[in-house]
Amino acid sequence: MKPKVVVTHDLKFPVLDELKEHAEVVELKKEYPLQGEELVKSVAEADGVICLLTDKFTKEVIEKLSNVKIISTVSAGYDHIDIEEATKKGIYVFNAADPLTISVAEFAFALMLSVARRVVEGDKLIREGNWKSGWSLTFMLGRELRGKTLGIVGLGKIGKEIAKRARCFGMNVIYYSRTRKLEFEEEYNLKFKDLSSVLSEADFLVLSVALTPETKKMISKREISLMKKDAFLINISRGAVVDEEALIEALKNKVISGAALDVFQNEPLSKSSELVKLENVVLTPHIASATFEARRGMAEQAVKNMLYALRGTINEECLVNKEVKKVRTLSKMI
Ligand code: NAP
């Protein structure tokens, strides 16, 4: 009998053909995120699940999944899956990070330039018919990236690509991460610092750290207060890494110069959020990886991870919970 794989959403790219040859593939094509009992019921019979980052595999959901052996997410982040519980249950969790790394790193610069050069403000000004003065020497002045200090928090795949690109802009790069990366530091001329120093020295602070229990609200009132008055905060990681209330207060009181945010505590961000009213903020709807290149690659990678796993082999680079190997051996199903 073929193993069963449930795909929670329409993957939008034709990536399932090979998987369909080997497994019974059930495409739910849900138009909304799955959670709770509905998620349990939808995937309970499956050997493997291909999901999106909007599907909430909480502890309670995972506890009820006695048949599922593999979860392959079409995302880099895996904070929507209770990894500890999945590991305990012997469920192998794979992510699809590589294909989106460049798109997200490039987007970090789109955000930095947008907020520092007031791109969105300028666009709005014209659309609202408020461009009255023509060209003038001091109209809508912003700041260059050149010569500025870029502070990266979380030097993983995306953080490294941001650091590489920062050199082309003539930026000095400092970083804080859980582990120091000496070789990379040497090759790309980066400096490792503790978090407080990165916060207080950066002109542009980019958050590219994973969301974990340790990094939740890692940037709160105290941390923001350490930043320079003319610094910009760029968040392309996860909303919960920042204490959003504290950030709003800081922006209102001009504790920092501005922020560019792709991710939020609650998504979609409500129109009534205070952030929407602030001028010194650029907001984008979680689209840092939204390129044709990245999204196709992510779907392909997630399916590839599933095929490998069904064959009893492990794509180590994408295995999120390495500890699971001690709990259960992955058996060959195809
Ligand atoms: P990654 O390679 O796993 O990098 C994550 C980094 O976070 C690692 O370098 C890790 O540090 C660091 N980290 C984890 N816990 C830490 C802690 N307690 N203190 C300091 N650093 C810590 O992942 P990635 O592919 O670069 O992606 C990074 C994050 O971006 C993802 O987790 C995801 O949430 C987010 N993301 C967002 C979008 C978007 O659309 N906006 C798209 C893709 C990804 P060490 O390596 O030093 O141990």
Side-chain angles (χ1 to χ4, degrees):
M1 207 170 69
K2 283 180 173 180
K4 183 171 173 177
V5 175
V6 169
V7 184
T8 57
H9 292 73
D10 184 348
L11 296 186
K12 307 286 186 191
F13 295 97
V15 293
L16 290 170
D17 290 354
E18 192 182 347
L19 186 63
K20 282 178 181 170
E21 282 173 28
H22 302 285
E24 179 199 344
V25 177
V26 180
E27 290 176 83
L28 301 179
K29 299 197 175 186
K30 294 286 180 192
E31 297 287 343
Y32 53 88
L34 282 173
Q35 57 184 329
E37 276 308 309
E38 186 181 7
L39 179 54
V40 173
K41 271 194 201 137
S42 306
V43 305
E45 309 282 304
D47 298 286
V49 182
I50 297 179
C51 69
L52 301 189
L53 57 80
T54 44
D55 301 323
K56 303 284 179 228
F57 285 88
T58 58
K59 184 172 190 289
E60 295 70 33
V61 166
I62 294 177
E63 266 171 358
K64 294 180 186 158
L65 301 180
S66 42
N67 198 53
V68 174
K69 298 152 194 85
I70 307 149
I71 297 176
S72 179
T73 181
V74 188
S75 61
Y78 41 82
D79 45 284
H80 56 300
I81 304 169
D82 189 314
I83 296 299
E84 204 181 318
E85 192 58 30
T87 308
K88 232 193 270 172
K89 287 281 254 184
I91 298 174
Y92 283 67
V93 179
F94 297 93
N95 71 345
D98 277 354
L100 55 70
T101 302
I102 303 297
S103 291
V104 180
E106 287 183 358
F107 198 74
F109 285 92
L111 290 179
M112 268 189 262
L113 289 164
S114 295
V115 71
R117 298 302 309 277
R118 307 174 65 177
V119 174
V120 179
E121 250 182 282
D123 179 276
K124 191 167 162 250
L125 185 100
I126 294 180
R127 287 175 200 275
E128 292 178 352
N130 290 327
W131 188 20
K132 312 272 193 211
S133 57
W135 190 94
S136 101
L137 267 178
T138 51
F139 182 50
M140 290 205 77
L141 301 187
R143 296 217 188 81
E144 287 185 349
L145 301 192
R146 179 186 52 159
K148 303 296 187 307
T149 297
L150 169 65
I152 300 176
V153 178
L155 197 78
K157 283 185 279 291
I158 295 169
K160 283 179 177 168
E161 292 302 327
I162 293 171
K164 287 183 196 173
R165 282 155 182 75
R167 279 162 48 113
C168 308
F169 282 98
M171 302 180 90
N172 311 311
V173 187
I174 56 177
Y175 78 99
Y176 167 73
S177 206
R178 193 174 38 190
T179 43
R180 196 169 167 181
K181 298 125 171 133
L182 279 168
E183 252 178 59
F184 191 84
E185 269 177 47
E186 260 171 45
E187 193 175 349
Y188 291 96
N189 196 20
L190 263 68
K191 284 197 182 70
F192 178 79
K193 306 235 171 185
D194 59 38
L195 181 59
S196 298
S197 305
V198 171
L199 288 163
S200 60
E201 290 175 32
D203 298 298
F204 292 84
L205 184 80
V206 174
L207 307 178
S208 48
V209 70
L211 172 63
T212 67
E214 294 79 48
T215 62
K216 196 171 176 192
K217 296 203 178 176
M218 179 185 206
I219 306 299
S220 295
K221 189 174 177 183
R222 190 194 78 86
E223 288 72 26
I224 298 171
S225 74
L226 296 176
M227 293 175 68
K228 289 182 182 174
K229 208 170 173 329
D230 55 3
F232 296 101
L233 176 93
I234 318 293
N235 191 5
I236 45 96
S237 64
R238 286 286 182 267
V241 169
V242 176
D243 180 338
E244 212 165 87
E245 291 308 311
L247 177 63
I248 290 168
E249 276 315 297
L251 288 165
K252 274 186 186 166
N253 299 324
K254 308 263 188 281
V255 174
I256 58 172
S257 193
L261 312 169
D262 185 49
V263 285
F264 306 91
Q265 225 155 269
N266 294 308
E267 296 180 5
L269 181 70
S270 160
K271 201 182 161 195
S272 63
S273 162
E274 290 288 310
L275 284 170
V276 176
K277 296 174 198 145
L278 296 170
E279 289 228 316
N280 49 345
V281 182
V282 171
L283 306 168
T284 54
H286 203 149
I287 53 168
S289 74
T291 61
F292 289 103
E293 294 89 340
R295 291 290 163 83
R296 186 191 182 99
M298 288 157 72
E300 280 170 353
Q301 183 70 67
V303 173
K304 226 186 263 176
N305 290 342
M306 181 59 70
L307 272 164
Y308 274 129
L310 293 174
R311 289 186 173 116
T313 52
I314 297 167
N315 187 1
E316 287 289 345
E317 272 195 16
C318 299
L319 179 63
V320 169
N321 54 343
K322 315 268 184 229
E323 291 293 302
V324 71
K325 290 189 272 186
K326 294 181 197 150
V327 180
R328 194 171 63 80
T329 312
L330 203 52
S331 54
K332 191 169 156 46
M333 286 182 265
I334 59 175

